[in-house]
Amino acid sequence: MNKQIFLFVFILLAVGSASSDATPKRYTLRECIDRSRSDGPNAQMARQLFRSRTFMYRSFNGGLLPQILLTGTAPDYERAINPIVQNDGTTAYLAQSQANSSLSLSLTEPLVLTGGSIFVSSSLSRTDLFGTENSTYWRSSPIVVGIRQPLFQLNTLWWDNRANDLQYEQAQKKYNEDMEDAMIDVTQKFFDVYVAQMRVDNAELNVSINDTLLTISRGRFEVGKIDENDLLQSELALANAKTQRASAQLDMKIALRSLATSLGTSDDDIDGIVPAEELPEVRVALETAMAEAHNNRSDLLGYSLQEHNAERNLRQQQLATGFNATITASYGYNQTGSQVGDVYKNPLNQQSARLDLTVPLWQWGKGRNAVAAAEEDLDRTRTSLELQRKSFDQDVEAQVERFVQNQEQLRLSLKADTIAQKQYILAKNRYLIGKYDVTKLLLAQDAKDKARESLILTEQSYWLSYFRLRRATLYDFESDKKIAYPAP
């Protein structure tokens, strides 16, 4: 019985603990940013993309290291009539049945600087002839060292290696930008909730105030201090306040759902937000912002990559129009025998050398026009990149100017909100003592609501402009340091 009571109490405590853990909370802006970076879908996709690019980078670099390969065939059986050269020099067509098996181990090392490769290999093969007299032959090449080197051809390995380095460095900076984009996204959603929450609070307050004012207006109407039109205005104001409350509550629900998605959590986890904390005082110098943007942004590497690809295409077309060759040479040992042990005794030298040539003689202007097209494409790319760089600089400059403007606008909005709140309090007090009519009171109330909403929207613009400035420069002006997120 005691065990059952203990188990029952334990379950109640566990359920109570789970319920308390699921209690929705109000998030600050910093908490929203931190959670979006850790659990938000945008940050998760940024990490996944960067890891993908990292694996691609490592895969390419792995291909520049020595590659060990084991190949084999077992067996390759063939039964056919084949031409066989006889001792007297004639050729006889005879039926043959044979099986070939082979095994080879090779090590290949690409040469980035030259575009060629060197290799070391060892192989063993066996041939079985079937017929009236079955026979077996073995052949081995215990070790063969060789080189393959293209001449007067595009060194694709060097160009690809350079592009791979640029792409990886670009991916690192793009990851930082994507994480900043996640922060901008959740900041936008945070202030959407902030505005909606402010409208709900204002609507609740206005319903309460207008309900009280309607009670006062009815009392004054009964004693003849106001006419019926003023009473109807008070009733209409209350009805409008209730309508605005219902609309604001729906907007709040939608905004909370959107914020929850950006945080990677459920709607039930969020009860609202805590208004943005004290705004940071940040001084931004245009020269610093421009220098950091050029050093930190991925766009500049993207421009270099575009020019790199255009230069590669031109170089490829130039080399394709002329003489090119490929040298292949090897040196090693080999031996044959009827027993596998014999092929490793007293191996004989084997050497090979080969030169393949390609000499275009007449192409009817194909090569010349291909080079001209590649030159125009390179010029067009450089012109386009110059425009993109100018646009890039203009965007950074605009971000700085917008942030400075929003700083000043925020000071003005704070002052306007303070004045509007004071005016409303004065109007309400004068109405209560009968020195203001309801129309003036409603105008003061509307001005109060608009001033508070304008202040929050200005705060939103301030934070977004600051975070966009961070994203445009990948520089933290508060901490005075470069923005670099740890690799996932």
Side-chain angles (χ1 to χ4, degrees):
M1 187 66 177
N2 291 335
K3 290 183 178 179
Q4 291 175 345
I5 294 174
F6 175 77
L7 180 60
F8 180 73
V9 172
F10 177 79
I11 292 174
L12 286 178
L13 291 174
V15 172
S17 176
S19 299
S20 64
D21 290 342
T23 301
K25 60 172 292 186
R26 288 176 174 259
Y27 285 84
T28 66
L29 178 58
R30 293 296 179 183
E31 287 174 336
C32 286
I33 290 173
D34 291 340
R35 180 148 189 177
S36 71
R37 287 172 176 171
S38 60
D39 302 330
N42 291 328
Q44 290 179 14
M45 289 188 292
R47 286 189 287 269
Q48 290 160 356
L49 177 61
F50 179 68
R51 284 195 292 264
S52 173
R53 298 289 173 82
T54 299
F55 290 137
M56 292 172 62
Y57 173 75
R58 293 174 181 173
S59 175
F60 182 87
N61 284 343
L64 301 181
L65 300 175
Q67 306 294 305
I68 300 176
L69 186 64
L70 179 66
T71 59
T73 302
D76 175 14
Y77 176 77
E78 180 184 14
R79 177 181 175 85
I81 297 176
N82 296 320
I84 306 298
V85 179
Q86 305 298 302
N87 293 332
D88 60 359
T90 60
T91 300
Y93 290 88
L94 304 176
Q96 284 187 323
S97 297
Q98 65 180 26
N100 297 305
S101 301
S102 63
L103 187 66
S104 175
L105 181 67
S106 62
L107 183 149
T108 304
E109 168 70 14
L111 304 174
V112 176
L113 292 179
T114 66
S117 62
I118 57 175
F119 64 87
V120 179
S121 66
S122 179
S123 63
L124 176 67
S125 62
R126 168 176 168 164
T127 301
D128 293 296
L129 299 178
F130 307 108
T132 54
E133 295 183 3
N134 293 342
S135 57
T136 299
Y137 300 94
W138 294 85
R139 181 179 182 276
S140 78
S141 296
I143 184 170
V144 177
V145 180
I147 184 172
R148 182 181 182 278
Q149 180 58 57
L151 301 176
F152 310 109
Q153 299 179 46
L154 183 71
N155 184 350
T156 57
L157 195 58
W158 183 89
W159 288 93
D160 289 344
N161 184 54
R162 173 60 178 158
N164 185 57
D165 290 340
L166 287 173
Q167 288 169 348
Y168 181 63
E169 189 177 355
Q170 183 184 27
Q172 290 176 308
K173 296 182 177 182
K174 184 66 169 61
Y175 171 62
N176 294 329
E177 293 168 354
D178 289 343
M179 293 298 287
E180 289 292 296
D181 285 336
M183 182 170 62
I184 293 172
D185 174 72
V186 79
T187 301
Q188 177 71 60
K189 303 292 178 58
F190 174 90
F191 276 97
D192 288 344
V193 173
Y194 192 179
V195 173
Q197 184 172 289
M198 178 274 301
R199 288 173 178 168
V200 169
D201 293 341
N202 269 354
E204 293 283 2
L205 179 62
N206 290 339
V207 168
S208 176
I209 292 173
N210 284 298
D211 185 61
T212 301
L213 293 178
L214 178 59
T215 301
I216 296 173
S217 296
R218 283 171 177 167
R220 290 180 176 176
F221 175 74
E222 291 175 357
V223 298
K225 289 187 176 181
I226 61 173
D227 58 21
E228 186 178 4
N229 183 60
D230 288 340
L231 178 61
L232 291 175
Q233 278 190 314
S234 296
E235 291 178 348
L236 181 61
L238 178 59
N240 289 337
K242 290 181 178 179
T243 301
Q244 291 172 359
R245 179 178 62 182
S247 178
Q249 289 171 341
L250 177 59
D251 291 342
M252 177 72 171
K253 183 178 180 180
I254 295 172
L256 283 173
R257 187 179 302 149
S258 180
L259 178 61
T261 300
S262 292
L263 296 181
T265 187
S266 64
D267 304 355
D268 298 334
D269 185 48
I270 306 178
D271 184 47
I273 58 96
V274 177
E277 55 266 30
E278 184 178 350
L279 303 175
E281 283 290 336
V282 180
R283 295 185 178 275
V284 180
L286 178 59
E287 296 76 11
T288 301
M290 196 68 70
E292 294 297 334
H294 279 259
N295 290 331
N296 304 333
R297 286 281 299 277
S298 68
D299 302 64
L300 279 300
L301 289 171
Y303 302 155
S304 298
L305 189 59
Q306 291 181 53
E307 188 170 11
H308 170 87
N309 291 334
E311 290 175 346
R312 169 182 174 150
N313 180 52
L314 174 58
R315 185 58 179 159
Q316 184 173 14
Q317 298 302 330
Q318 289 172 336
L319 291 172
T321 62
F323 162 84
N324 65 75
T326 301
I327 295 176
T328 306
S330 65
Y331 178 87
Y333 297 91
N334 63 0
Q335 186 58 278
T336 61
S338 57
Q339 301 294 327
V340 65
D342 296 337
V343 297
Y344 291 102
K345 296 177 181 179
N346 302 317
L348 303 177
N349 293 339
Q350 75 168 66
Q351 303 92 26
S352 69
R354 177 177 174 175
L355 177 63
D356 295 313
L357 302 175
T358 300
V359 183
L361 298 179
W362 189 260
Q363 297 181 310
W364 304 97
K366 173 186 174 182
R368 180 177 67 255
N369 288 308
V371 171
E375 289 174 342
E376 292 297 331
D377 186 63
L378 178 58
D379 291 340
R380 179 191 60 79
T381 298
R382 286 173 173 167
T383 301
S384 174
L385 292 179
E386 184 64 26
L387 291 175
Q388 291 180 58
R389 290 186 177 98
K390 288 182 179 178
S391 177
F392 177 88
D393 291 346
Q394 290 170 358
D395 178 68
V396 173
E397 185 174 356
Q399 294 293 348
V400 173
E401 292 173 345
R402 189 173 293 113
F403 174 70
V404 173
Q405 182 184 37
N406 284 332
Q407 277 186 318
E408 180 60 27
Q409 186 63 41
L410 183 57
R411 296 187 186 97
L412 296 176
S413 293
L414 285 168
K415 185 176 181 179
D417 178 67
T418 301
I419 294 173
Q421 299 302 319
K422 290 180 178 179
Q423 285 179 334
Y424 173 72
I425 293 173
L426 290 173
K428 183 178 72 171
N429 292 336
R430 290 191 176 187
Y431 176 80
L432 293 175
I433 61 177
K435 292 187 176 181
Y436 252 26
D437 60 27
V438 69
T439 302
K440 291 183 179 181
L441 177 61
L442 294 176
L443 289 174
Q445 180 178 295
D446 184 60
K448 166 187 71 75
D449 293 345
K450 288 182 178 179
R452 178 53 53 88
E453 183 170 341
S454 176
L455 173 61
I456 296 175
L457 292 175
T458 304
E459 280 190 50
Q460 179 184 35
S461 297
Y462 174 86
W463 280 105
L464 287 175
S465 65
Y466 175 63
F467 288 141
R468 284 169 180 155
L469 178 61
R470 279 173 49 111
R471 200 272 188 203
T473 59
L474 286 183
Y475 192 76
D476 186 347
F477 292 92
E478 282 187 86
S479 304
D480 195 24
K481 65 180 182 180
K482 175 182 176 181
I483 296 173
Y485 291 87

